[in-house]
């Protein structure tokens, strides 16, 4: 392919040989490297040759360094190491030319002569173009030119080509394999991702002990430049540019290794410090020899400390944190000391100006309104307009504050500090990924629509195992307009395809979608034996079975994967599923053990053993992750404790749930339990009665016949009602037998009826009562009342009313059970409630009349606006809508600052419920209308209780009601 010549030429000589470039083709930011050749394409690799790389030695050192990464990436893909020429080049048929406008002589010359279009890059931020130049010089047929508007633009262009040839940003951090390819051909056209929509895009390494810390100490010795180089590379490969480094004591980014900051600057990583580390100083740098961390009594000491941080910063690109919190990430004072904090900020800006020798406003700064600091802002404290206001979530992924939709723009703009990991109440969550990208999208879309586009930074804990939501966060931050409610589910497929090379793409995408949904229902650390109901709606069993089904599917894919993909799959998919499934089963098994012990069931001790086995399995899964997967590369990374929490703080070690063992008599003794009751018979004094069977729901309920001794027994079921159908009517019970009961509605009596059947064994006879409702639902429309309530998933509406420009959007998969709906556009803000307001309607059928309670279940959004309240509307049929305040709970002040009084329950349960009463005058068909008033509410479910409600309180609530079409 390549006609190699012996002539070596300098860059300046190279430029003299350049010839005119033809017209550029259309911009294409999609796939532009393919495996087939044509005369118009650039042969990056072909016929066992790989194009050499030319980068000007006078370009940014970071650009030169990353050009070397491209060299290595090409070798990973092709097996051939291309040559990199720094300032000199051989004339070859095909060359890759890399350079930054204004820093590369080659790029500047070609721009001057119109070979590349400088207008695409001039004045742009972090933009690159990648294009083919035909016949650029004598002896060269084609050049592939990667040109950047600035340092990061060029670096992004290089890494974009690496991504195009199949090198994942996670090739190191998640062992994503690189597929071997011998033919790589670049399509003609100008390829670019444009400019990022959010200026600073980064993450915060936090809460990094014991997992990341143990791994770093073993692999690198400390949080030094060898470690941070891997972090910087990951951020840049994901098109990020910003980092808050690890800061748990004794971590000190600038002190642990002076090369850390130098290398960050070389790479083009904008450094910052966390919300409570002013003027680039790690909090661990402060010690008692410098006095108290108290500005009122030690202003001089703190000023000298901060001055040292600014002097050390020099001209490195930095977002300087200003403000102050108390020692150890606590509140500055018990009260809102506005005068003191205003003085602190004023003095800090004086230090910035004094040290930099230029006005303070020329040094980028942020003020984080984190926790109680937001109260300072709410009470009127302001900082200069050039300072970025870093708004924050509640540490649980719910935004606490956003600028008003009609607020005047600020020079410094606004940012968001978000969380995928947290240490604090109501419970730490640090172990596995419990974040749905749907909720991240919804909240960050809300922020973007409110004009928050200066800084997006997310707390990612140890980086692993948050790989998936991190990737989404960075992809979304680059271009928030690309992803919306209609195409968000495509992200799972794109990610799975990119990571696993097109193998089982749909199946892996489905697993990712389901496991993140299941995990987001409740943080692992908050789960205990009481979380899920053992008796109602088969909730606990369904949780376990759903996870186990997912685990079997995930394991099946793993078993069939090519060997090179197994390590990546285990850490990104399989471990997350199996470990989560195991933890949920562990707690359900513990709950059954304790329940069975109370009833003396012979299965009690088996469940105690099962709990022990599941606890051991958790350790086995972790051990494989640490010692077998990737040949032990990730030892320590899953060492975070996660079982046995009692308070918000983690236990020192995983603690097995409490179990009981009982002495089981050497006899046979029958007991009976029925679905919907924690009692057992013959011990209980009241009737054993199953939940009500309803014809249109065609319910099935169970009876457990269990042994309280060691000797088996035979049982029989007798019933005078031939329309009661049993999965079996006789059998032998060793430990336990579950009998499924349903109704033959063709034979069952019409209307309501109550009868019983009898279970007989060992001279015991236990009656079990059956209540039925065999009703005619002809003419019924919509969701039908059953057992006194109606449960509706929000996305199953009957009709919508969407006056221009409003629309209702289903956010598929968002929520604890089904999908959610939101009203768009966000920017339209509050609308006046009337019967012509945007609405969704749900057809329902009541079998009774009277008072009803409408429970509306929302994602636990916080009122982020300064306006009073957060409203929606409800009505039945054509009645005037009632305006309801979602934000009616009084605010309290706790360790998280100002939050609603029921915030703990809302975030722990990942739901907020608002109840409104209505009067239904007639049984029959009705329509429930839900109206938009304020933007930002996320509707998950609606449950309507009548006066005859038999609704049971469980974590996930009842299944959706039967719907007549």
């Amino acid at each position: 392919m390549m006609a190699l010549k012996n002539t070596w030429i300098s860059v300046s000589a190279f430029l003299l040989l350049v010839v005119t470039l033809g017209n550029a083709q259309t911009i294409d930011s999609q796939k532009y490297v393919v495996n087939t050749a044509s005369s118009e394409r650039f042969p990056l690799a072909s016929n066992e040759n790989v194009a050499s790389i030319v980068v000007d030695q006078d370009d940014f050192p970071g650009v030169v360094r990353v050009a070397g990464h491209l060299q290595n990436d090409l070798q990973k893909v092709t097996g051939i190491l291309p040559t990199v020429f720094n300032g000199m080049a051989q004339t070859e048929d095909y060359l890759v030319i890399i350079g930054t406008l204004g820093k590369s002589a080659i790029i500047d010359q070609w721009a001057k002569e119109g070979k590349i279009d400088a207008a695409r890059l001039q004045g742009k931020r972090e933009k690159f173009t990648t294009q083919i130049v035909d016949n650029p010089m004598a002896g060269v047929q084609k050049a592939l030119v990667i040109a950047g508007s600035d340092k990061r633009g060029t670096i992004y262009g290089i890494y974009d080509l690496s991504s195009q040839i199949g090198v994942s940003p996670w090739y190191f951090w998640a062992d994503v394999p690189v597929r071997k390819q011998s033919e790589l051909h670049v399509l003609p056209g100008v390829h670019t991702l444009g400019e990022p929509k959010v200026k600073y895009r980064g993450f915060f390494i936090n809460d990094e002990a014991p997992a990341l810390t143990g791994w770093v100490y073993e692999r690198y010795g400390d949080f030094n430049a060898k470690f941070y180089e891997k972090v910087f590379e990951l951020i840049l490969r994901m098109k990020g540019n910003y980092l808050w480094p690890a800061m748990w004591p004794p971590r000190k980014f600038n002190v642990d290794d002076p090369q850390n900051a130098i290398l960050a600057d070389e790479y083009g990583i904008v450094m910052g410090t966390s919300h409570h580390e002013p003027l680039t100083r790690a909090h661990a740098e402060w010690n008692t020899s410098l006095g108290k961390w108290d500005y009122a009594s030690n202003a001089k000491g703190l000023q000298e400390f901060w001055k040292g941080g600014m002097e050390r910063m020099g001209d490195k690109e930095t977002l300087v944190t200003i403000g102050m919190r108390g020692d150890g990430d606590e509140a500055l004072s018990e009260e809102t000391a506005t005068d003191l904090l205003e003085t602190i900020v004023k003095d800090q800006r004086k230090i910035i100006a004094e040290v930099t020798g230029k006005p303070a406003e020329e040094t980028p700064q942020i003020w984080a309104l984190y926790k109680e600091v937001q109260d300072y802002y709410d009470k009127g404290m302001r900082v200069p307009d050039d300072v970025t206001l870093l708004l924050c979530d509640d540490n649980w992924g719910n935004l606490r504050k956003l600028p008003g939709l009609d607020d005047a723009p600020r020079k410094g703009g606004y940012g968001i500090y978000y969380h995928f990991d947290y240490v604090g109440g109501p419970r730490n969550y640090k172990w596995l990924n419990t974040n749905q990208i749907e909720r991240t999208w919804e909240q960050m879309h809300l922020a973007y629509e409110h004009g928050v586009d200066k800084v997006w930074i997310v707390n990612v804990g140890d980086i692993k195992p948050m790989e998936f939501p991190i990737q989404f966060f960075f992809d979304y931050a680059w271009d928030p307009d690309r992803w919306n409610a209609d195409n968000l589910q495509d992200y799972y497929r794109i990610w799975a395809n990119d990571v696993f090379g097109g193998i089982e793409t749909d199946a892996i995408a489905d697993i990712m979608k389901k496991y993140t949904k299941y995990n987001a229902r409740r943080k692992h650390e908050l789960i205990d034996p009481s979380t899920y109901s053992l008796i109602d709606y088969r909730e606990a069993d369904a949780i376990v079975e759903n996870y186990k089904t997912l685990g079997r599917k995930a394991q099946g894919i793993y078993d069939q994967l090519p060997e090179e993909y197994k390590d990546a799959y285990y850490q990104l998919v399989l471990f997350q599923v199996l470990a989560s499934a195991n933890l949920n089963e562990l707690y359900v098994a513990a709950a059954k053990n304790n329940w069975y012990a109370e009833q003396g069931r012979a299965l009690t001790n088996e469940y105690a053993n099962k709990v022990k086995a599941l606890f051991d399995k958790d350790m086995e899964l972790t051990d494989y992750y640490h010692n077998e997967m990737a040949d032990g590369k990730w030892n320590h990374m899953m060492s975070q404790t996660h079982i046995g929490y009692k308070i918000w703080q983690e236990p020192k070690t995983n603690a097995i749930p409490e179990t009981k063992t009982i002495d089981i008599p050497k006899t046979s003794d029958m007991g009976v339990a029925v679905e919907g009751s924690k009692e057992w018979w013959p011990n209980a004094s009241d009737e054993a009665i199953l939940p009500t069977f309803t014809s249109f729901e065609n319910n099935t309920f169970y009876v457990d016949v269990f042994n309280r001794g060691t000797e088996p027994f035979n049982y029989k079921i007798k019933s005078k009602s031939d329309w009661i159908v049993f999965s079996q009517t006789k059998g032998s019970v060793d430990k336990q037998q579950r009998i499924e009961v349903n109704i033959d509605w063709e034979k069952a009596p019409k209307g309501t009826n109550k009868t019983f059947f009898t279970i007989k064994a060992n001279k015991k006879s236990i009656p079990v009562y059956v209540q039925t409702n065999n009703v005619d639902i002809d003419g019924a429309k919509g969701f039908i009342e059953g057992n006194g309530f109606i449960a509706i998933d929000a996305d199953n509406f009957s009709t919508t009313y969407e006056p221009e420009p409003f629309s209702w959007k289903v956010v598929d998969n968002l929520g604890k059970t089904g999908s959610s709906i939101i009203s768009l556009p966000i920017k339209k803000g509050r609308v006046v409630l009337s019967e012509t307001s945007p609405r969704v309607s749900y057809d329902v059928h009541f079998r009774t009349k009277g008072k009803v309670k409408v429970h509306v279940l929302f994602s636990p959004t916080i009122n982020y606006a300064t306006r009073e309240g957060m409203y929606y509307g409800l009505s039945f049929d054509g009645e005037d809508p009632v305006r309801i305040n979602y934000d009616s709970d009084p605010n309290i002040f706790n360790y998280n600052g100002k939050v609603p009084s029921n915030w703990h329950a809302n975030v722990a349960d990942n739901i907020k419920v608002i109840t409104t009463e209505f009067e239904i005058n007639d049984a029959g068909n009705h329509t429930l209308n839900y109206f938009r008033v304020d933007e930002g509410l996320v509707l998950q479910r609606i449950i309507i209780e009548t006066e005859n409600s038999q609704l049971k309180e469980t974590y996930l609530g009842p299944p959706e009601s039967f719907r007549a079409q």
Side-chain angles (χ1 to χ4, degrees):
M1 177 187 75
M2 299 183 179
L4 300 179
K5 301 184 180 181
N6 295 324
T7 306
W8 288 76
I9 58 174
S10 68
V11 171
S12 57
F14 181 87
L15 288 169
L16 294 175
L17 299 172
V18 174
V19 297
T20 304
L21 169 69
N23 293 332
Q25 298 187 32
T26 58
I27 293 174
D28 174 18
S29 61
Q30 302 302 311
K31 185 71 175 173
Y32 58 83
V33 176
V34 297
N35 299 123
T36 55
S38 75
S39 59
E40 296 84 11
R41 296 170 183 173
F42 178 83
L44 183 61
S46 188
N47 297 328
E48 298 185 352
N49 287 286
V50 179
S52 295
I53 300 166
V54 178
V55 59
D56 195 323
Q57 62 187 356
D58 294 327
D59 210 320
F60 292 103
V63 170
V64 176
R65 180 186 289 268
V66 174
H69 292 184
L70 177 62
Q71 177 190 35
N72 295 333
D73 290 349
L74 283 164
Q75 184 182 34
K76 290 186 185 93
V77 174
T78 66
I80 301 169
L81 183 69
T83 302
V84 174
F85 299 113
N86 292 319
M88 304 190 77
Q90 281 183 296
T91 54
E92 300 178 359
D93 287 352
Y94 305 103
L95 291 170
V96 178
I97 311 298
I98 295 171
T100 308
L101 195 66
K103 288 290 290 184
S104 167
I106 300 171
I107 298 300
D108 289 350
Q109 183 68 26
W110 286 6
K112 181 179 179 181
E113 297 181 2
K115 309 301 190 282
I116 60 174
D117 186 358
R120 295 184 185 275
L121 299 173
Q122 287 171 338
K124 305 297 183 184
R125 177 172 47 84
E126 300 181 347
K127 184 180 179 182
F128 68 87
T129 57
T130 299
Q131 64 188 87
I132 300 168
V133 177
D134 290 320
N135 301 313
M137 59 173 289
V140 178
Q141 293 182 31
K142 291 180 185 291
L144 181 67
V145 182
I146 301 173
S149 62
D150 48 32
K151 174 167 57 178
R152 283 190 292 273
T154 309
I155 289 173
Y156 293 155
I158 299 169
Y159 281 142
D160 192 63
L161 182 59
S162 289
S163 177
Q164 288 280 331
I165 65 174
V167 180
S168 168
W170 298 95
Y171 80 91
F172 172 80
W173 283 97
D175 303 296
V176 175
V178 177
R179 184 170 65 89
K180 297 297 183 183
Q181 301 172 78
S182 59
E183 296 288 323
L184 299 170
H185 299 269
V186 180
L187 299 176
V190 179
H191 311 289
T192 183
L193 296 176
E195 293 181 278
K197 302 285 179 63
V198 176
K199 186 171 184 179
Y200 299 107
R201 309 164 306 281
F203 61 59
F204 178 21
I205 301 171
N206 192 216
D207 313 328
E208 66 270 14
L212 182 65
T213 297
W215 179 78
V216 168
Y217 283 176
E218 180 177 296
R219 189 176 183 90
Y220 299 107
D222 204 349
F223 284 74
N224 54 32
K226 290 181 180 179
F227 162 71
Y228 275 111
E229 181 169 18
K230 296 298 185 183
V231 175
F232 301 154
E233 181 185 347
L234 173 65
I235 291 172
L236 291 167
R237 282 184 184 267
M238 294 190 297
K239 310 296 189 294
N241 59 9
Y242 184 42
L243 175 67
W244 288 359
M247 50 69 63
W248 267 21
R251 252 71 70 198
K252 303 179 285 290
F253 177 78
N254 290 285
V255 177
D256 291 340
D257 185 348
Q259 287 299 311
N260 285 344
I262 294 169
L263 189 63
D265 194 54
E266 179 180 318
Y267 266 108
I269 295 292
V270 182
M271 289 305 302
T273 48
S274 73
H275 53 86
H276 70 105
E277 298 178 298
L279 276 62
T280 80
R281 284 289 204 179
H283 192 70
E285 294 183 62
W286 181 263
N287 60 72
T288 55
S289 68
L290 301 172
K292 290 182 64 178
W293 184 265
D294 181 354
Y295 203 76
S297 64
N298 190 27
K300 185 175 180 180
L302 284 160
Q303 288 170 8
E304 287 301 312
F305 180 67
W306 293 333
K307 183 179 179 181
M310 293 305 299
E311 289 172 341
R312 182 177 61 196
M313 182 186 82
D315 60 358
K316 300 179 188 71
E317 194 173 4
T318 307
L319 259 179
V320 178
T321 297
I322 63 170
M324 185 178 180
R325 295 190 75 220
D327 196 4
D329 198 14
E330 299 292 339
L332 183 62
S333 65
E334 292 184 4
E335 304 297 330
T336 306
T338 302
D339 291 344
L340 176 61
L341 190 54
E342 286 178 338
T343 299
I344 291 169
V345 170
K346 183 178 179 181
D347 291 348
Q348 287 173 340
R349 284 172 63 86
K350 286 180 181 178
I351 293 170
I352 292 170
E354 175 188 332
V355 174
T356 63
K358 55 188 180 183
E361 57 265 26
E362 295 183 18
T363 298
Q365 299 154 58
I366 59 170
W367 181 38
L369 304 186
Y370 183 67
K371 291 191 174 182
E372 84 290 337
V373 180
Q374 182 180 308
D375 193 44
Y376 287 81
Y377 185 84
D378 289 343
K379 291 183 176 179
M381 179 175 166
R382 295 295 181 266
V383 292
D385 198 56
D386 61 276
V387 176
T388 299
L389 295 181
L390 188 67
L391 310 172
C392 304
D393 70 356
D394 62 352
N395 301 302
W396 288 72
N398 309 297
L399 301 181
R400 294 181 65 212
K401 190 168 197 64
L402 291 174
L405 289 165
D406 55 356
D407 282 1
R410 301 180 69 260
K411 180 182 176 183
Y414 299 91
I416 288 292
Y417 170 36
Y418 202 70
H419 284 76
F420 292 155
D421 165 287
Y422 178 57
V423 168
R427 195 65 54 89
N428 295 356
Y429 61 96
K430 299 173 59 180
W431 180 43
L432 295 182
N433 175 32
T434 56
N435 304 282
Q436 278 193 287
I437 63 169
E438 290 86 357
R439 182 60 167 169
T440 302
W441 171 81
E442 184 271 326
Q443 287 287 284
M444 297 311 294
H445 170 255
L446 199 60
Y448 186 68
E449 292 296 289
H450 279 78
V452 181
D453 61 3
K454 194 65 169 285
V455 179
W456 286 14
I457 186 162
V458 59
N459 187 323
V460 298
D462 303 307
I463 301 177
K464 298 180 71 64
M466 304 300 171
E467 300 96 337
F468 179 62
I470 290 172
Q471 183 70 64
F472 174 76
F473 189 87
F474 278 75
D475 287 343
Y476 189 50
W478 181 273
D479 184 6
D481 294 319
R482 179 181 177 188
W483 298 103
N484 55 57
D486 293 329
N487 67 12
L488 185 58
Q489 298 307 305
D490 295 341
Y491 190 86
Y492 291 102
R493 291 195 73 264
I494 292 169
W495 179 88
N497 182 73
D498 287 350
V499 172
F500 299 107
I503 300 171
E504 295 285 359
T505 295
D506 289 341
I508 294 172
D510 183 64
I511 292 168
M512 296 299 290
K513 177 178 177 178
K514 285 190 171 74
Y515 105 70
T516 52
K517 182 182 189 67
Y518 296 167
N519 284 4
R521 287 168 171 167
R522 191 171 186 86
K523 305 297 186 186
H524 296 99
E525 295 83 351
L526 276 163
I527 299 172
D528 62 34
S530 69
T531 298
Y532 304 116
S533 175
L534 296 177
I535 61 171
D536 292 312
Y537 311 127
R538 307 196 188 192
E539 181 178 74
D541 288 341
I543 290 285
V544 170
E545 185 53 39
N546 287 342
Y547 265 119
K548 291 177 83 169
T549 299
L550 198 63
R552 287 190 291 269
K553 182 176 180 179
Q555 184 70 57
I557 293 173
Y558 177 84
D559 293 342
Q560 300 300 318
L561 275 178
E563 197 64 32
E564 63 268 23
Y565 284 97
K566 287 191 172 182
D567 288 338
Y569 184 82
Y570 188 85
Q571 58 199 283
L572 293 172
V573 184
L574 186 59
F575 180 79
Q576 300 263 10
V577 174
L578 295 183
S580 299
N582 188 74
L583 182 103
N584 279 268
E585 188 176 8
L586 168 74
Y587 282 119
V588 171
K592 287 186 175 181
N593 164 262
N594 281 267
W595 183 33
Y596 290 177
E598 292 174 4
Q599 299 180 346
R601 295 198 196 192
L603 269 177
T604 299
N605 297 345
E606 287 190 19
Y607 268 88
N609 294 334
K610 185 174 186 178
V611 169
K612 177 63 167 60
L614 292 166
F615 188 77
D616 290 344
K617 183 179 178 182
D618 178 88
M619 291 187 284
E620 291 166 8
L621 290 168
T622 301
D623 182 72
Y624 184 88
Y625 194 111
H626 285 166
N627 299 311
E628 301 294 331
M629 184 189 78
D631 296 323
K633 174 181 175 181
W634 298 108
N635 190 27
H636 304 288
M637 196 57 83
M638 286 297 110
S639 58
Q640 177 60 52
T641 55
H642 50 276
I643 303 174
Y645 272 75
K646 300 297 183 184
I647 59 172
W648 70 269
Q649 184 59 286
E650 64 201 47
K652 290 185 178 180
T653 60
N654 286 331
I656 190 168
E658 180 181 352
T659 57
K660 297 176 182 178
T661 56
I662 61 174
D663 293 327
I664 304 172
K666 294 181 179 180
T667 184
S668 62
D669 184 13
M670 180 180 72
V672 170
V674 300
E675 184 168 350
S677 175
K678 291 206 75 171
E679 302 297 328
W680 68 279
W681 288 264
N683 182 65
S685 58
D686 53 351
E687 293 179 342
I689 185 166
L690 287 164
T692 302
F693 292 84
T694 306
S695 56
F696 54 83
E697 292 178 329
N698 197 25
N699 320 82
T700 297
F701 299 114
Y702 68 80
V703 174
D704 283 340
V705 179
F706 58 86
N707 200 344
R708 302 180 73 244
T710 61
E711 301 298 323
F713 64 84
N714 296 322
Y715 73 92
K716 288 184 178 180
I717 296 176
K718 297 291 185 181
S719 174
K720 295 180 180 179
S721 304
D722 64 351
W723 42 269
I724 303 177
V725 181
F726 304 95
S727 57
Q728 52 199 58
T729 57
K730 61 182 179 179
S732 178
V733 174
D734 179 24
K735 299 285 177 50
Q736 183 167 295
Q737 183 76 54
R738 175 159 289 185
I739 299 154
E740 300 287 353
V741 183
N742 56 32
I743 305 299
D744 183 341
W745 294 106
E746 294 294 325
K747 296 181 179 179
K750 300 298 182 182
T752 60
N753 186 71
K754 182 176 180 179
T755 187
F756 69 92
F757 59 87
T758 304
I759 304 173
K760 296 183 176 182
N762 292 354
K763 298 182 180 180
K764 287 183 180 179
S765 180
I766 299 174
V768 177
Y769 288 85
V770 173
Q771 295 182 123
T772 58
N773 262 320
N774 192 358
V775 296
D776 182 0
I777 59 169
D778 286 348
K781 184 179 179 183
F783 294 95
I784 302 179
E785 175 192 341
N787 286 325
F789 66 87
I790 300 171
I792 306 168
D793 290 338
D795 58 315
N796 289 328
F797 44 79
S798 304
T799 60
T800 63
Y801 177 65
E802 301 172 303
E804 188 69 27
F806 296 98
S807 64
W808 292 96
K809 290 293 183 181
V810 173
V811 185
D812 189 25
N813 199 48
L814 174 57
K816 290 171 69 172
T817 54
S819 299
S820 298
I821 62 169
I822 60 174
S823 175
L824 298 178
I826 298 298
K827 288 184 177 179
K828 284 296 179 181
R830 177 172 288 178
V831 300
V832 176
L833 178 62
S834 73
E835 57 187 21
T836 60
S837 299
R839 68 178 180 272
V840 290
S841 298
Y842 301 89
D843 291 333
V844 295
H845 181 86
F846 290 108
R847 298 178 55 244
T848 57
K849 65 179 182 178
K851 285 188 177 0
V852 298
K853 294 179 180 179
V854 179
H855 307 293
V856 185
L857 283 66
F858 295 97
S859 295
T861 300
I862 290 176
N863 185 2
Y864 48 79
T866 55
R867 68 192 173 205
E868 181 274 330
M870 198 171 190
Y871 291 92
Y872 63 96
L874 287 178
S875 76
F876 276 101
D877 305 320
E879 296 177 355
D880 292 337
V882 177
R883 192 170 184 255
I884 301 161
N885 190 1
Y886 166 92
D887 187 43
S888 60
D889 301 317
N891 287 318
I892 60 170
F893 288 83
N894 63 16
Y895 53 85
N896 253 352
K898 184 174 70 173
V899 292
S901 58
N902 58 356
W903 174 83
H904 269 89
N906 292 345
V907 298
D909 296 342
N910 203 15
I911 206 77
K912 180 171 180 175
V913 183
I914 307 295
T915 301
T916 308
E917 289 192 357
F918 290 87
E919 185 77 29
I920 301 298
N921 294 323
D922 298 294
N925 293 331
H926 294 271
T927 300
L928 174 65
N929 304 300
Y930 169 80
F931 296 84
R932 168 178 174 154
V933 177
D934 286 323
E935 82 293 344
L937 293 176
V938 181
L939 177 63
Q940 292 192 22
R941 302 193 87 194
I942 298 173
I943 299 175
I944 308 171
E945 283 193 90
T946 71
E947 293 175 350
N948 301 314
S949 173
Q950 299 176 37
L951 179 69
K952 306 298 184 182
E953 186 175 344
T954 66
Y955 188 70
L956 296 181
E960 190 173 42
S961 297
F962 176 81
R963 187 181 191 182
Q965 300 298 325

